[in-house]
Amino acid sequence: MTSYPAPINPTRTRIGWIGTGVMGGAMVSRLLSAGYSVTIYARNLSKVVHLQSQGALLAYSPADLARNCDVIFTMLGHPSDVRQIVLESLISSLNPNSVIIDHTSSHPVLAKQIFDAAREKNCWAVDAPVSGGDIGAREGKLAILAGGNEDVVKWLNPLFDVLGKAIFVGGPGKGQSCKIANQIVVGANLMGLSEGLVFAEKAGLDKRKFVEAVKGGAAGSMVMELFGERMIGRDFRPGGFTEYMVKDLGMGLDVGAEQGDDVVVLPGAALNKQLFSAMVANGDGKLGTQGLITVIERINGK
C-alpha cells in the first residue's frame, strides 16, 4: 500500500500542520527544508513568522486547512485540544483519502475515536506521538510511535523519515499507549538522574566528572545524554513542558480504569507524577522536565 492514494512527493503532496510550538515548529521547519509545501494554522501568527519566512503558507481555520491538504499533522497540548480541533473540526472538512497524523501525547481511547471518525469519511488517522525532545525534533532524530493501519504508516514513511524513525506499534490507540509507557520510563530515569546528581554534589563530587564516569556503564541513558549537562548547567528551557509529563503519567495511571480494564499498578509512575506535580505547584510547569532536579533539591533543603 505504499502507493496509497498516490506516492508521497514533495511537489504534489500538500501538507497541513496545526501546533507550531517548540516541537511542532522544528518539525515543520524540517519538512519545509526537505522541499514540501506546508500550510499551517496558528492562533498566534507572530509565533510562525519564522516558518513563513521559510515558505510556509497560512490557513485561516482548521477547516480551511483540511480542505486544502492531503496529509495533516497535529502537535497539540492536551487531549481536550485534540478533541476540539481534530474530532470536532478537522474531520468534518476532510477530503476523501486524506490522512491525519496526531503527534500529540494524547489518550488511546480518543485516538480510536478519531480513527473511526476518519474511516467514516473514507480517510485514515494515525496516532503517532514522538519521543526525543527538542533536540530530536531539530535534528530529525525523533522516535515516532505509530498506531493505526500498518500500510498507511508505511505510505507515510517518506514524511516520517524527514522527522525521525517511525515504528509501527499496533492498531489505533497503540501509538498513544506506547508513548505513555515511554513516559513512565523517561520519568523514572529523570528522577534517578536528579537524585544521583544531588547525592554526588552532597558527597563532594564534581557533577560533570560524575556523569562522565558513569555514562558508559549501566547508569548511562539517553536521558543522561540529553539532560545531564542541562541539569548541571541549570538550563531548564523546555523540550517538553513539565505540565505535559504530569498529563502523560496521569493517563498511564488512569487509562486502565477508564477503559474498564484491569488497572495496572504503577507505584513508581505514581510517585513521579507527584514529583512533577510539585514542579507545577511551584510555578514551574512550563519548564523542561529536567527541572525535576529542583524538586529533589528542595526536599534536601537546597
Side-chain angles (χ1 to χ4, degrees), residues 22 77-78 236-244 279-280 283-289:
V22 174
H78 295 275
F236 301 137
R237 289 175 294 178
F241 292 133
T242 291
E243 64 184 20
Y244 292 169
M279 276 189 69
V280 175
D284 295 335
K286 297 293 185 184
L287 297 184
T289 52

Side-chain angles (χ1 to χ4, degrees), residues 194 197-198 201-202 207 231-232 234 236 291-302:
S194 297
L197 286 169
V198 169
E201 183 176 27
K202 290 280 188 179
K207 289 182 286 186
M231 285 182 176
I232 294 168
R234 319 300 291 176
F236 301 137
L292 182 64
I293 192 171
T294 62
V295 175
I296 305 303
E297 288 171 342
R298 284 188 175 102
I299 292 172
N300 285 277
K302 183 177 177 182

Side-chain angles (χ1 to χ4, degrees), residues 78-286:
H78 295 275
S80 58
D81 302 318
V82 175
R83 179 174 295 279
Q84 177 185 0
I85 292 176
V86 178
L87 199 57
E88 299 175 1
S89 182
L90 275 178
I91 286 182
S92 62
S93 300
L94 290 175
N95 297 314
N97 291 324
S98 298
V99 180
I100 292 178
I101 303 104
D102 184 25
H103 285 311
T104 314
S105 296
S106 186
H107 201 289
V109 171
L110 179 56
K112 294 175 185 176
Q113 293 171 347
I114 291 169
F115 181 90
D116 291 341
R119 292 306 297 134
E120 290 179 2
K121 292 279 291 183
N122 197 29
C123 298
W124 294 95
V126 174
D127 53 294
V130 301
S131 182
D134 56 327
I135 295 175
R138 289 195 301 270
E139 296 182 354
K141 296 180 179 178
L142 292 171
I144 302 167
L145 317 171
N149 179 282
E150 186 171 10
D151 288 330
V152 173
V153 171
K154 289 178 180 177
W155 178 76
L156 291 166
N157 271 335
L159 296 171
F160 288 148
D161 288 346
V162 176
L163 308 175
K165 181 175 177 57
I167 302 294
F168 177 73
V169 296
K174 293 297 188 283
Q176 297 298 351
S177 294
C178 190
K179 179 58 184 290
I180 291 170
N182 175 85
Q183 295 299 78
I184 291 168
V185 175
V186 171
N189 274 275
L190 283 164
M191 183 173 70
L193 179 58
S194 297
E195 292 186 345
L197 286 169
V198 169
F199 176 84
E201 183 176 27
K202 290 280 188 179
L205 292 168
D206 180 289
K207 289 182 286 186
R208 287 185 173 87
K209 289 183 179 178
F210 156 68
V211 170
E212 182 66 26
V214 304
K215 68 180 183 181
S221 67
M222 184 60 71
V223 164
M224 182 176 286
E225 182 178 329
L226 290 173
F227 299 120
E229 179 56 37
R230 292 192 191 188
M231 285 182 176
I232 294 168
R234 319 300 291 176
D235 178 1
F236 301 137
R237 289 175 294 178
F241 292 133
T242 291
E243 64 184 20
Y244 292 169
M245 177 64 86
V246 174
K247 170 201 68 176
D248 294 345
L249 292 174
M251 287 190 294
L253 296 169
D254 297 339
V255 68
E258 291 184 7
Q259 292 183 251
D261 299 331
D262 291 335
V263 177
V264 181
V265 179
L266 304 169
L271 174 59
N272 279 332
K273 180 176 181 284
Q274 291 301 311
L275 293 171
F276 284 111
S277 295
M279 276 189 69
V280 175
N282 289 332
D284 295 335
K286 297 293 185 184

